[in-house]
Amino acid sequence: MKLTRAQFLKALPAAALVLAGCTAAPTAPADTDELVFDHAYPLDYATQFTADCYADGSTLLTIPDAQAKFLIRPEGAATLRTVPEGVTVLQQPVQNIYLVSTSAMDLFLHLDALDSIALSGTRAEGWYLDEAKQAMQAGRIAYAGKYSAPDYERILTAECGLAVENTMIYHTPEVKEQLERFSIPVLVERSSYESSPLARMEWIKLYGILLGKETLAEEVFAQQAQRIAPLLKQPSTGKRCAFFSITSSGLATVRKSGDYVAQMIGMAGGEYVFTALTDSGNSLSTMNIPLEDLYAGVKDADVLIYNGTIEGTISTKEELLARCALLAECKAVQSGDIWCTTPSFFQQSMALADFMLDLHAVFTGETASPDTLHFLTRII
């Protein structure tokens, strides 16, 4: 869903002011003898999960595309005699989490919930978030293997209460099955599949519910929404922008037009060049194209942004042209309006407002000093 400036401004008051309110669900989930549906938790943008609240303080989190339902039970709540079919019960406090999804770490940090994580699927040197790196270096969080090769013994010894994975786990379904066989619930998070930055950041509410920090999550989200609002009042700059990287196999990875990165470019006042790249039905937000097609799409772009988080950052024009010599004739390369994202970009999930402010500064020329930018560095 593409979010226009008018749609965003219309929805903003609800996002900023209605922090703990509730609205009735169009169709209430089925009750059981112990669970009585009360209301639906309000979400303004996110579509990849829903939350239904029950009279006893429980909340049912549903991630439809992951075919997963988690019933979050408040601390001290009695054990349910019957559990709805297909529902995994998580009793608060949810502790000793095995965090594999790197994009989720920033949400835990914003919720002051780092102490709920005991295990990481990323080594200390792989973190660009200082708090996460320092926690691992100090031994407060232990490395427990990557998504495809977890250290089951360490995970079991830590009495892991939940594994938070990204969709890469579907490439090794036997790992998910084994974790669940050991009675370790697996939550496959899908925030990166949201089509707008606000929807992606709204996933902080899912973790707020999970950790019993709903109010803080709502406040953090509202603050980010308010930071974005002034950008949407600005007229479009008309600057055409490309966002891409080049693989080691000689293909270009670009975002589809409905992806949240493409939406951020538009919300910041630019025009994403690959508007014809729509969803092909495989649910992926990116696609690989030949370098000739990349050149055809970006040759007249005003701004080129190289995604340095996947294939590594580049700092010079020579490095860029070594990966794709065709780009030498591009308008942006000729003018020098070429940029690279910092490696931390995709780990800082709650800093998307900063990235949009960076984009707006680039589109308007308000880049007097590199110190004013958060995630973009100029390729010289």
Side-chain angles (χ1 to χ4, degrees), residues 323-341:
R323 300 190 184 194
C324 181
L326 291 171
L327 297 177
E329 303 302 319
C330 291
K331 176 181 177 181
V333 174
Q334 294 288 319
S335 67
D337 213 349
I338 47 180
W339 305 81
C340 184
T341 63

Side-chain angles (χ1 to χ4, degrees), residues 61 63 68-72 88-101 104 108 116-121 144 154-156 158-165 176 179-180 182-189 203 206-211:
L61 292 171
I63 308 175
K69 294 184 178 182
F70 298 90
L71 184 67
I72 314 303
T88 299
V89 177
L90 294 176
Q91 193 87 33
Q92 291 177 332
V94 181
Q95 296 176 318
N96 300 328
I97 293 171
Y98 170 40
L99 185 65
V100 181
S101 174
F108 280 83
S116 67
I117 300 170
L119 305 164
S120 169
R154 171 163 281 183
I155 291 169
L156 290 171
E159 298 181 352
C160 177
L162 177 68
V164 178
E165 304 269 358
K176 182 174 182 293
L179 288 169
E180 292 171 337
F182 286 137
S183 299
I184 298 170
V186 179
L187 188 156
V188 182
E189 80 101 46
W203 270 69
L206 178 143
Y207 293 103
I209 292 168
L210 181 71
L211 300 167

Side-chain angles (χ1 to χ4, degrees), residues 161-176:
L162 177 68
V164 178
E165 304 269 358
N166 57 37
T167 55
M168 290 295 288
I169 193 65
Y170 293 134
H171 294 297
T172 55
E174 67 277 5
V175 171
K176 182 174 182 293

Side-chain angles (χ1 to χ4, degrees), residues 58-352:
S58 300
T59 303
L60 181 67
L61 292 171
T62 301
I63 308 175
D65 288 346
Q67 299 181 342
K69 294 184 178 182
F70 298 90
L71 184 67
I72 314 303
R73 299 280 288 159
E75 190 170 1
T79 302
L80 290 173
R81 295 189 303 274
T82 59
V83 177
E85 184 178 358
V87 173
T88 299
V89 177
L90 294 176
Q91 193 87 33
Q92 291 177 332
V94 181
Q95 296 176 318
N96 300 328
I97 293 171
Y98 170 40
L99 185 65
V100 181
S101 174
T102 55
S103 64
M105 177 63 85
D106 201 33
L107 308 184
F108 280 83
L109 294 178
H110 276 79
L111 293 173
D112 192 24
L114 188 62
D115 59 355
S116 67
I117 300 170
L119 305 164
S120 169
T122 301
R123 296 184 185 275
E125 59 268 23
W127 286 111
Y128 296 101
L129 302 171
D130 289 340
E131 290 179 69
K133 178 178 290 189
Q134 291 166 7
M136 293 197 71
Q137 291 172 336
R140 297 193 303 275
I141 297 176
Y143 177 64
K146 62 181 182 179
Y147 77 95
S148 59
D151 184 339
Y152 294 111
E153 183 177 358
R154 171 163 281 183
I155 291 169
L156 290 171
T157 301
E159 298 181 352
C160 177
L162 177 68
V164 178
E165 304 269 358
N166 57 37
T167 55
M168 290 295 288
I169 193 65
Y170 293 134
H171 294 297
T172 55
E174 67 277 5
V175 171
K176 182 174 182 293
E177 293 169 4
Q178 183 72 339
L179 288 169
E180 292 171 337
R181 194 174 295 122
F182 286 137
S183 299
I184 298 170
V186 179
L187 188 156
V188 182
E189 80 101 46
R190 296 181 57 86
S191 63
S192 63
Y193 288 80
E194 297 286 359
S195 60
S196 81
L198 284 162
R200 188 177 190 192
M201 288 191 293
E202 197 167 26
W203 270 69
I204 196 171
K205 296 180 181 179
L206 178 143
Y207 293 103
I209 292 168
L210 181 71
L211 300 167
K213 298 194 174 193
E214 295 95 327
T215 300
L216 178 57
E218 291 155 0
E219 290 173 350
V220 171
F221 176 76
Q223 290 166 1
Q224 295 304 313
Q226 289 173 323
R227 292 185 65 211
I228 292 171
L231 282 180
L232 303 185
K233 298 177 182 179
Q234 301 293 321
S236 173
T237 64
K239 292 291 184 69
R240 302 183 72 244
C241 177
F243 186 94
F244 67 97
S245 63
I246 298 171
T247 71
S248 57
S249 58
L251 294 172
T253 301
V254 297
R255 319 294 292 198
K256 294 178 182 177
S257 59
D259 173 65
Y260 76 97
V261 174
Q263 299 302 311
M264 283 194 288
I265 290 171
M267 294 166 72
E271 297 177 4
Y272 184 58
V273 297
F274 291 109
T275 56
L277 296 182
T278 56
D279 187 16
S280 56
N282 61 9
S283 299
L284 297 177
S285 59
T286 63
M287 64 184 300
N288 290 334
I289 61 175
L291 295 183
E292 292 79 8
D293 292 347
L294 173 70
Y295 170 72
V298 309
K299 62 180 180 179
D300 296 322
D302 299 289
V303 179
L304 297 186
I305 299 177
Y306 190 84
N307 179 8
T309 62
I310 299 177
E311 301 291 337
T313 60
I314 56 178
S315 57
T316 68
K317 187 184 300 184
E318 287 72 24
E319 289 180 85
L320 177 64
L321 298 182
R323 300 190 184 194
C324 181
L326 291 171
L327 297 177
E329 303 302 319
C330 291
K331 176 181 177 181
V333 174
Q334 294 288 319
S335 67
D337 213 349
I338 47 180
W339 305 81
C340 184
T341 63
T342 61
S344 65
F345 172 51
F346 282 116
Q347 287 189 10
Q348 293 186 257
S349 303
M350 288 305 296
L352 299 184

